[in-house]
Amino acid sequence: MRSLRALRALRALRALRTTALVTAVPLLLAVAGLVHPRHLTAATAGDWAGLHVVLLPVFPFLVLGLVVPLWGRPRRDADGFLTVLAWAGCLVYAAYYSGLDAVAGISAGTVVDHGVHGAAGRLFAAGDELGRAGVYALAVACAATCAVLHRRHGARVLPGAVALLAACWSFADSHIFWPRGVLTMLGFALGFALLTAATYRRGEERVATGDDGARPRRPTNR
């Protein structure tokens, strides 16, 4: 009994640690959205560019909530295919959304801050295309991740999946601007937390029933 309680306490600690890890970036981006200038003007250009310089290494780590639950070497089956698809989506998102951050954030803010007129609009157009491509890839990664977790843990992952896909839909044109962009980041945090809770509850059931989740081995003929 004492060892079972210790195992449950250890799993609870791991679940709490994982939840903190996967929600840290979207929560940080939500806070950043509260101070993000709503419009790019000569008065806000310096803050606009500076904030995007700070956030440049942050945005790619939004996918931690998808990478962590799929950690490990993929198998040669449907789960493995979906896992690789999710990783590919995460990679494309990280590359293309960083492009948005660099073009429409740092570059546009810099040219406006230096009084260059007419260039910001073209930079915004190019950045928007990069950002949409990144968010579409992120949506594919979310769907693939949730499909894998659904196969492993059942319908309990559906609330997290709905939250993540809704956040992706909003992310396509909200960035992190207040108010919708901030709510979008909170939606990602909620979705990642729900997925973590779903996988943790499955582990609790295995502990309670003595099932370690391992597949039964076939008897070997000697």
Side-chain angles (χ1 to χ4, degrees):
M1 179 64 73
R2 185 172 300 177
S3 61
L4 181 60
R5 289 179 181 176
L7 183 57
R8 285 178 172 173
L10 179 60
R11 291 191 63 85
L13 179 61
R14 288 177 177 175
L16 182 61
R17 184 175 59 189
T18 300
T19 301
L21 175 65
V22 300
T23 60
V25 171
L27 292 177
L28 176 60
L29 291 173
V31 172
L34 296 175
V35 298
H36 193 297
R38 296 192 180 185
H39 303 285
L40 177 57
T41 65
T44 64
D47 292 337
W48 182 287
L51 181 62
H52 284 88
V53 169
V54 173
L55 295 179
L56 186 62
V58 177
F59 275 109
F61 285 98
L62 182 64
V63 300
L64 276 178
L66 306 177
V67 174
V68 169
L70 299 182
W71 193 259
R73 183 176 181 178
R75 298 184 304 220
R76 296 182 180 180
D77 56 11
D79 283 4
F81 170 78
L82 290 169
T83 297
V84 172
L85 179 63
W87 290 349
C90 291
L91 178 61
V92 174
Y93 156 76
Y96 279 82
Y97 209 84
S98 295
L100 163 67
D101 206 31
V103 174
I106 300 171
S107 299
T110 300
V111 297
V112 172
D113 194 35
H114 286 77
V116 179
H117 301 288
R122 295 182 180 180
L123 291 172
F124 274 126
D128 285 344
E129 292 182 4
L130 293 170
R132 279 193 296 271
V135 173
Y136 294 157
L138 180 62
V140 171
C142 286
T145 300
C146 292
V148 174
L149 297 181
H150 182 268
R151 290 168 60 87
R152 294 178 182 175
H153 306 287
R156 71 189 70 219
V157 306
L158 293 181
V162 171
L164 288 180
L165 293 177
C168 286
W169 174 81
S170 179
F171 195 24
D173 62 353
S174 69
H175 191 51
I176 59 172
F177 293 109
W178 168 263
R180 191 154 66 90
V182 173
L183 295 176
T184 297
M185 291 300 110
L186 294 178
F188 278 116
L190 175 63
F192 294 148
L194 288 174
L195 290 185
T196 301
T199 58
Y200 165 69
R201 285 198 299 270
R202 176 61 173 168
E204 274 289 280
E205 292 175 359
R206 286 176 174 174
V207 171
T209 59
D211 178 12
D212 62 359
R215 296 180 179 179
R217 296 181 179 179
R218 295 180 179 179
T220 57
N221 296 326
R222 296 185 178 179

